[in-house]
Amino acid sequence: MKSREKAIQILENMKKAIIGKDEELEKVLVCLLAGGHLLIQDVPGVGKTTMVKALAKSINLTYSRIQFTPDLMPSDITGITLYNKAEEKFIFRKGPIFNQIILADEINRTSPKTQSSLLQAMEEGEVSVENTTYVLRKPFMVLATQNPLEYQGTFPLPEAQLDRFLMQISLGYPQQKEEEKIIRNYKNNKTLEHIKPVVNEEDILAMQSEVDEINVHDDILKYIIGIANTSRIHKDIHLGASPRVSIDLYRGAKAYAYIKGRDYVIPDDVKAIVPYVLSHRIILSAEARIEGRKTEKIIDDVLERTYVPVVKSIEG
C-alpha cells in the first residue's frame, strides 16, 4: 500500500486548521478514500466550512462553494444554456458542480427541488442538462453542511437525498483549551494560507484504488448484512438500513482499515463507522420519538444485538 502514508499526511494537514476534532477528521478521510459524500450537521460557527476548505487545499483538487439559499435554482448548480449572438448558437455554461470538491453550504436552506439537483452527480458522477450528459471529473466529492432542523428557514432533506451521503458527522463545540487555540489562530484559519497541498489528483485516485483491494472476509460481509437486518426488525426503528447502507458500510470499513495500516477488515473497523453511516438514514418509530429515545443509543443496541464474527488474520 504505497500511498497509505500520503493519506495520513492529509489527516495531519487538516489538523492544522481544525483543532481537537481528530476522530471527526478521520471520518472525513475515510469518506474521501471510500469515494463517498459527507453530510456535516451542526450549529453555525463550529468550523464546518473551514474543515472542508482545509481538505480542498490539502488535496489540491478543483473546488467550489455553493451557498444554498431559498431562491437558489437547479441551474445555478448544474449550469445554464445561453445563446451566443456572435456565434449564432447556444452554449452551455457549466455550473459549480463541475468541480471535484463541492462544498454545499447550508444545503437544507433551499427547496427540495434544488436539493435534488445534486442527486445524479452524487450517485452516478454525471450531470444531464437538456438531453446531454456530462461526466464529472474524478475524484468527485460533495461535502454538505446543514443546520439542525429546528432552526428557522430550513427544509428537511428527503430520504433519497440523505441516502446519497455515505456518512454524517457533527463537530460539536470545542473544549476550553481547544477554543483558546482556535481564538489565537483565527487569522490563519480565516485565510488558511498555512495549509499547503500534500497530495494531488493522481495520489487520491491511487489511494482509492488501493482501498478497493482491501480484503473483506465472508464472515465480515455477513456481519455487515447482519447489522442492516437487525436495524430493519428493531422495534424502535420504522425504516431500517437499505442495501445501499450495507454497501457503504462495506466501502467505509475498507477505507478505515486502510488508514489503520491493515490490508483486511476486522469487526472493529465496521463498528467504528456504523454510527456515522446509519445515523442519518434510519427513521425512528413514532413511539421511540415520543419517548425521546436517541438515535445513537438505538444504533448501539443494534450493534449489541448483532452477532460479531471472530475472524483471524486474513492478510494476503
Side-chain angles (χ1 to χ4, degrees), residues 194-259:
H194 63 301
I195 303 295
K196 305 298 181 184
V198 293
V199 297
N200 56 31
E201 178 181 309
E202 291 73 20
D203 294 326
I204 299 297
L205 292 174
M207 293 179 213
Q208 291 179 342
S209 179
E210 290 181 355
V211 166
D212 286 339
E213 298 302 317
I214 296 293
N215 197 326
V216 180
H217 193 277
D218 287 346
D219 287 345
I220 297 294
L221 186 57
K222 291 176 183 177
Y223 179 48
I224 290 171
I225 296 171
I227 292 171
N229 283 333
T230 302
S231 75
R232 295 165 190 164
I233 62 174
H234 196 284
K235 63 181 180 63
D236 290 332
I237 299 177
H238 173 67
L239 181 64
S242 69
R244 184 183 281 117
V245 173
S246 300
I247 293 170
D248 286 350
L249 283 173
Y250 177 81
R251 295 161 60 198
K254 289 168 70 168
Y256 189 82
Y258 178 81
I259 65 175

Side-chain angles (χ1 to χ4, degrees), residues 265-284:
V265 174
I266 61 175
D268 284 348
D269 297 327
V270 180
K271 289 180 182 179
I273 65 166
V274 163
Y276 304 93
V277 177
L278 259 66
S279 62
H280 58 296
R281 295 155 109 172
I282 60 173
I283 297 178
L284 303 189

Side-chain angles (χ1 to χ4, degrees), residues 83-95:
Y83 183 71
N84 188 313
K85 286 187 177 181
E87 300 182 15
E88 296 185 346
K89 65 178 182 179
F90 288 95
I91 297 176
F92 176 61
R93 181 176 295 174
K94 293 181 177 180

